[in-house]
Amino acid sequence: MTTPAEAPTRRYFEDVEVGEEIPQLVKAPVKHLQLVRYAGASGDFNPLHTDPKVGEEIGTGGIIAHGMLIMGFVGQMLSDYVGPQPLRKFGVRFKGMTHLDDVITCTGTVTNKYEEDGKGYITGKVQAKDQNGDLKVSGTFTAQLPHRNA
């Protein structure tokens, strides 16, 4: 279950403030079928993500989610906030393993706002944590937002 996304609205440069919190996105517990489907979609068939025996053998306590899936959750939060077209840069560092039944909460904050060549940009920090507060990914983004009177 994903928390309901806000109705799509156009976000303007003038309406965003430094320090503004991005509406968080809470994802449903990670499930085995979700990881199998993601393996098919991404082409990453590493058995660590789909075969519980492999995870037990190498000491991860079972299968773990693809890091890029968790990054995708954060990307979904950003897309819900600014839309897919305004996003110019987005990157994360992987910080921890995500296990089955983890509930991932994505959050972010606008850290800067500036104009360059007449275009408005915002930058920010993002992260994803599980239900215990354990950090899974952290990163940054840049988005180019339209001016209200353009």
Side-chain angles (χ1 to χ4, degrees), residues 25 27-28 30 34 68-78 104 106 128:
L25 176 68
K27 298 299 287 185
V30 174
Q34 180 181 27
M68 294 298 289
L69 175 63
I70 308 309
M71 182 182 183
F73 293 165
V74 176
Q76 179 184 355
M77 175 193 69
L78 287 173
I104 302 299
C106 304

Side-chain angles (χ1 to χ4, degrees), residues 15-33:
D15 299 333
V16 175
E17 298 296 329
V18 172
E20 182 173 321
E21 297 291 320
I22 297 169
Q24 73 178 13
L25 176 68
V26 180
K27 298 299 287 185
V30 174
K31 296 297 181 189
H32 186 228
L33 181 58

Side-chain angles (χ1 to χ4, degrees), residues 20-144:
E20 182 173 321
E21 297 291 320
I22 297 169
Q24 73 178 13
L25 176 68
V26 180
K27 298 299 287 185
V30 174
K31 296 297 181 189
H32 186 228
L33 181 58
Q34 180 181 27
L35 300 182
V36 171
R37 287 179 173 161
Y38 187 81
S42 69
D44 181 352
F45 292 99
N46 184 327
L48 179 57
H49 302 305
T50 57
D51 186 345
K53 291 179 186 175
V54 171
E56 298 290 337
E57 290 171 3
I58 65 171
T60 60
I63 60 177
I64 60 171
H66 304 75
M68 294 298 289
L69 175 63
I70 308 309
M71 182 182 183
F73 293 165
V74 176
Q76 179 184 355
M77 175 193 69
L78 287 173
S79 182
D80 288 349
Y81 181 63
V82 297
Q85 288 80 18
L87 200 57
R88 295 295 180 258
K89 292 182 184 176
F90 170 42
V92 302
R93 287 189 164 278
F94 300 102
K95 300 291 191 173
M97 294 181 285
T98 301
H99 294 90
L100 292 180
D101 297 319
D102 280 351
V103 174
I104 302 299
T105 300
C106 304
T107 59
T109 306
V110 176
T111 58
N112 193 19
K113 179 178 174 179
Y114 63 96
E115 291 190 62
E116 188 174 285
D117 297 325
K119 298 176 183 174
Y121 294 89
I122 61 170
T123 62
K125 293 183 179 182
V126 292
Q127 64 182 11
K129 293 183 176 182
D130 69 11
Q131 68 280 358
N132 300 315
D134 294 330
L135 187 62
K136 304 304 177 180
V137 301
S138 65
T140 59
F141 74 93
T142 301
Q144 178 191 335

Side-chain angles (χ1 to χ4, degrees), residues 11-17 113 115 145-149:
R11 192 163 309 280
Y12 293 98
F13 178 75
E14 292 81 7
D15 299 333
V16 175
E17 298 296 329
K113 179 178 174 179
E115 291 190 62
L145 299 178
H147 285 286
R148 183 170 292 286
N149 297 321

